[in-house]
Amino acid sequence: MKNSRMTNKSEIEYPIPEELNTSKKYNGIPELVDLNFDLWTLKVKLEFPDLQNPIYLTFKNVEGFRVLDEGSLMEFWNNEKRSNGWLWKVKKGGWHDQEKKREGFAFSKEILADYDEYMVVGIGICLNLIGGSEPIITEP
């Protein structure tokens, strides 16, 4: 009996991410070591293997975020077009588009129409965020 959840690879609609140029200054995949959210701003602390000090990402006008094991986001990793970057703007087919399809999301569709989705790839865990502006990267 064929598993009804199995999908032919050619039928999968992969998310379309675009690596942010600001992230290319930092090599490798970071570890997400701290998150701080105050209802408007999300601050993420990242540690890179080759850097002595952490870097911080600040996302403003945050409407939602989730943190998942990278194994739960395989549709992002099985895409041959993706490079080894760690900070992405998801142009199409990501978590934001999945949420827009939910019936319970109807109230937010209009409000969030102009919001973007970002993804931070980390060692072990990844962050998806729906927010209004590209993150600001700072170093201590």
Side-chain angles (χ1 to χ4, degrees):
M1 177 180 231
K2 187 177 177 183
N3 184 345
S4 62
R5 294 186 63 133
M6 295 292 287
T7 306
N8 182 341
K9 188 172 180 175
S10 64
E11 296 173 6
I12 297 172
E13 288 189 38
Y14 290 107
I16 300 173
E18 174 182 276
E19 187 175 4
L20 296 180
N21 286 331
T22 54
S23 70
K24 294 179 181 179
K25 176 180 175 184
Y26 306 95
N27 295 319
I29 301 297
E31 185 173 10
L32 283 75
V33 296
D34 189 43
L35 300 171
N36 186 347
F37 180 60
D38 70 3
L39 298 181
W40 298 278
T41 303
L42 176 68
K43 193 168 188 177
V44 182
K45 181 180 178 181
L46 302 171
E47 292 182 354
F48 283 84
D50 295 341
L51 294 178
Q52 283 188 318
N53 295 315
I55 69 161
Y56 296 88
L57 297 180
T58 302
F59 293 93
K60 295 185 178 185
N61 302 317
V62 174
E63 287 294 325
F65 66 93
R66 68 180 183 179
V67 178
L68 294 171
D69 183 277
E70 81 267 5
S72 298
L73 297 167
M74 292 304 294
E75 66 270 24
F76 285 89
W77 312 128
N78 286 333
N79 187 345
E80 308 81 38
K81 297 176 184 172
R82 192 185 76 76
S83 71
N84 292 322
W86 60 272
L87 181 58
W88 300 87
K89 182 175 185 177
V90 181
K91 305 296 274 181
K92 180 181 175 189
W95 176 45
H96 193 197
D97 284 345
Q98 291 170 355
E99 287 296 316
K100 288 180 200 174
K101 293 177 186 175
R102 281 190 320 105
E103 192 174 312
F105 196 71
F107 175 74
S108 297
K109 280 182 187 176
E110 244 179 75
I111 296 168
L112 300 182
D114 293 331
Y115 280 70
D116 292 316
E117 177 182 348
Y118 298 94
M119 182 171 179
V120 180
V121 175
I123 295 172
I125 60 171
C126 299
L127 168 75
N128 286 96
L129 178 132
I130 298 170
S133 62
E134 192 170 306
I136 299 163
I137 298 175
T138 56
E139 298 179 36

